[in-house]
Amino acid sequence: IYTISKIIQYYSAIKYFYTQFNKIKRGCLVGYVVKIQRVERPTNKSFYINFPAAIAESANVEKGEEFEWLIEDRNTFVLKRKKKVDSFVKN
């Protein structure tokens, strides 16, 4: 059972992604702002990036699926799916 706030949250994410999806169809790039979290433990230090649910669900990302970070330069990081799947955008 979903609460009203969860439904509104999902609706907002879907609405945002729908507008971004329409930009893809027109040949524009899609962007989604995220913040990096830093976690320090006594034994190590980690950085985490959230993967927005709207993007993950629309791309059919599955739990445990592998991705690879490609570093183009100090300002450009590309997240690439390891196992290629068919595009969800039709040309």
Side-chain angles (χ1 to χ4, degrees), residues 7-9 11-12 14 19 24-26 29-31 35 38 44 46-48 54 57-58 60-61 74 76 83-84:
I7 292 170
I8 292 171
Q9 181 182 359
Y11 173 77
S12 298
I14 291 168
T19 59
I24 291 173
K25 290 188 345 185
R26 293 191 311 267
L29 291 175
V30 174
K35 289 192 177 187
R38 180 178 175 171
N44 68 344
S46 300
F47 292 84
Y48 294 91
E57 290 170 3
S58 65
N60 295 324
V61 174
R74 289 178 65 128
T76 308
K83 183 179 177 185
K84 189 171 182 171

Side-chain angles (χ1 to χ4, degrees), residues 4-90:
I4 297 294
S5 61
K6 272 290 186 200
I7 292 170
I8 292 171
Q9 181 182 359
Y10 287 136
Y11 173 77
S12 298
I14 291 168
K15 182 178 174 186
Y16 173 83
F17 188 74
Y18 178 76
T19 59
Q20 297 303 321
F21 179 75
N22 284 331
K23 290 180 183 179
I24 291 173
K25 290 188 345 185
R26 293 191 311 267
C28 302
L29 291 175
V30 174
Y32 211 110
V33 177
V34 296
K35 289 192 177 187
I36 296 178
Q37 299 174 344
R38 180 178 175 171
V39 177
E40 290 191 41
R41 296 185 179 94
T43 56
N44 68 344
K45 174 174 55 173
S46 300
F47 292 84
Y48 294 91
I49 299 175
N50 281 332
F51 198 100
I55 294 174
E57 290 170 3
S58 65
N60 295 324
V61 174
E62 296 180 8
K63 180 180 178 180
E65 191 170 353
E66 290 186 342
F67 285 79
E68 175 182 21
W69 282 108
L70 303 173
I71 302 169
E72 291 184 2
D73 57 46
R74 289 178 65 128
N75 297 304
T76 308
F77 304 89
V78 177
L79 185 62
K80 182 180 176 188
R81 190 179 235 150
K82 293 288 283 185
K83 183 179 177 185
K84 189 171 182 171
V85 297
D86 293 332
S87 176
F88 62 97
V89 179
K90 294 182 180 178

